[in-house]
Amino acid sequence: LKGNFVSIGSSYDYAALGCTHHCPEDVNLMYNIPGMDVVVPGSSKEFDRLFKQGYKKNNPKYFRLTDFENKYDFDVKYGKGNLINNSSKTTIITFGPTLNFIMPIVKKYKVNLAYFTTVRPLDNKLISKVNSISKNIIIIEPFYTGSVISEIIKILKTDVKLSNISVPTKFLTNYGLKPEHDKKLGFSMEFLSNKIKKILRNEK
């Protein structure tokens, strides 16, 4: 069926209600359905654009929404990524609602940022471009790692040092608010800043 399936709550937006309200596995589950597009907007504005661009496509689409939107707005296009900066040897690849803690790091350390709102189809050309300019790539996935990072690895042609920040593939049984889970799992300016500083020191 060429339907449009829309979810809300992201990985653990409703974390205060306990782990029965978590679903960090959804992207990998949808990725295993043949022909299913997977779209991860970072804001309601991005969702509006992407939904209008994609809903008539002749295949099913899964739109993954969040209660915690990016405050940064990009001119996003269905199936395409956005590249910010291209002069650093270090690139952050990220998806959807993660920019609030990433953009300050990008501006401070002047590293590259490849921002994606469509997980499938993935913008292979942009991944290849990132590969050509980068020696270090940090992949930030606000869901379980797996399908997306595997797809990226298939595209890479030259050697790069890969690292990632993602939701660990286990049940998150602790109670707490989403920002508290983010901090514990590494989705924070402090954690990413320390990671970037270590990489930049090794580049010198």
Side-chain angles (χ1 to χ4, degrees):
L1 298 176
K2 54 181 180 180
N4 295 279
F5 303 93
V6 182
S7 73
I8 185 69
S10 205
S11 284
Y12 45 79
D13 284 1
Y14 306 145
L17 298 174
C19 59
T20 57
H21 287 68
H22 297 174
C23 195
E25 67 270 26
D26 60 337
V27 169
N28 285 329
L29 288 171
M30 293 299 118
Y31 215 92
N32 281 301
I33 299 175
M36 177 72 77
D37 283 3
V38 181
V39 187
V40 187
S43 68
S44 51
K45 287 183 180 179
E46 291 181 355
F47 168 65
D48 184 59
R49 294 172 189 156
L50 295 166
F51 189 80
K52 288 175 179 176
Q53 291 169 17
Y55 84 97
K56 286 187 177 179
K57 289 184 60 166
N58 195 31
N59 62 299
K61 283 83 61 184
Y62 174 66
F63 293 87
R64 182 193 215 247
L65 308 190
T66 179
D67 280 8
F68 294 82
E69 300 187 2
N70 292 331
K71 62 183 179 182
Y72 302 91
D73 188 35
F74 289 106
D75 183 18
V76 296
K77 294 180 181 178
Y78 198 98
K80 299 294 181 182
N82 295 69
L83 182 63
I84 295 92
N85 300 338
N86 61 359
S87 57
S88 175
K89 294 177 182 177
T90 299
T91 301
I92 298 171
I93 294 176
T94 193
F95 302 87
T98 55
L99 295 182
N100 290 341
F101 78 91
I102 292 174
M103 284 302 292
I105 303 298
V106 170
K107 291 177 180 179
K108 181 176 180 179
Y109 296 104
K110 295 180 173 56
V111 295
N112 311 324
L113 173 67
Y115 173 62
F116 295 86
T117 50
T118 311
V119 175
R120 180 198 270 168
L122 193 61
D123 189 346
N124 292 6
K125 288 185 178 179
L126 184 54
I127 296 293
S128 295
K129 183 172 183 179
V130 166
N131 188 197
S132 69
I133 63 176
S134 306
K135 288 188 176 180
N136 295 282
I137 295 176
I138 302 171
I139 302 172
I140 300 178
E141 305 165 285
F143 35 77
Y144 283 165
T145 194
S147 299
V148 180
I149 196 168
S150 296
E151 192 67 26
I152 291 171
I153 289 171
K154 288 178 188 176
I155 301 167
L156 300 179
K157 300 298 182 184
T158 58
D159 288 340
V160 294
K161 292 181 180 178
L162 276 179
S163 60
N164 81 311
I165 300 170
S166 63
V167 181
T169 310
K170 63 181 182 180
F171 290 112
L172 307 177
T173 55
N174 292 331
Y175 280 83
L177 301 175
K178 180 183 183 295
E180 293 173 312
H181 281 270
D182 281 343
K183 186 175 181 180
K184 182 176 178 63
L185 298 175
F187 296 100
S188 67
M189 280 189 278
E190 181 182 8
F191 186 88
L192 182 59
S193 179
N194 289 336
K195 200 172 186 69
I196 291 290
K197 283 191 286 188
K198 184 177 180 180
I199 288 172
L200 295 180
R201 281 198 301 268
N202 291 335
E203 283 184 357
K204 293 180 180 179

